[in-house]
């Protein structure tokens, strides 16, 4: 078996999404930065089929993250690793048996460490 450097298991912090109304009555998206749940998975560039299926207007699918076990995050949540933020666009529970889960995500490097989008 051949392992390429950088393709081994990495830790991501899961920040669940919450949508609330602010004082002016407008919808606001925030991320819970306090829970600090950890997702361990392998990250790779998204293949063309995943890009076509999960990309949205202004939000292209750029990466796939594969985790052993059942779902630890849902679409809309944010995964953080260092200064990179991965916004989950879709989740695929492979074979619906909880053996592996694939997260389809958009990588954002231009955000600060704040919890608002």
């Amino acid at each position: 078996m051949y392992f390429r450097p950088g393709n081994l298991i990495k830790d991501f912090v899961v920040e669940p999404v919450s949508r609330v109304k602010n004082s002016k009555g407008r919808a606001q998206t925030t991320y819970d930065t306090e829970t600090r749940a950890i997702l361990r998975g392998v990250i790779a560039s998204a293949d063309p089929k995943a890009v076509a299926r999960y990309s949205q207007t202004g939000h292209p699918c750029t990466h796939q993250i594969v985790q052993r076990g059942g779902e630890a995050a849902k679409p809309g949540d944010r995964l953080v690793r260092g200064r990179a933020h991965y916004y989950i666009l879709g989740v695929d529970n492979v074979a619906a048996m909880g053996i592996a889960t694939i997260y389809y995500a958009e990588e954002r490097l231009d955000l600060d460490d704040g919890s608002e989008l």
Side-chain angles (χ1 to χ4, degrees), residues 16-92:
V17 67
S18 62
R19 292 179 176 87
V20 295
K21 290 184 180 180
N22 64 12
S23 61
K24 296 179 182 179
R26 294 186 177 175
Q28 183 177 12
T29 300
T30 59
Y31 294 91
D32 180 8
T33 59
E34 301 298 320
T35 58
R36 311 294 294 177
I38 301 293
L39 180 147
R40 300 193 73 208
V42 178
I43 187 167
S45 295
D47 63 4
K49 286 183 182 179
V51 171
R53 182 173 179 192
Y54 290 100
S55 289
Q56 302 169 5
T57 305
H59 299 284
C61 179
T62 59
H63 288 81
Q64 294 176 188
I65 301 169
V66 180
Q67 168 203 345
R68 182 181 301 167
E71 295 178 20
K74 62 187 182 311
D77 289 351
R78 177 168 74 178
L79 304 178
V80 179
R81 183 171 183 277
R83 295 203 43 87
H85 295 78
Y86 299 91
Y87 291 88
I88 299 176
L89 302 173
V91 178
D92 185 12

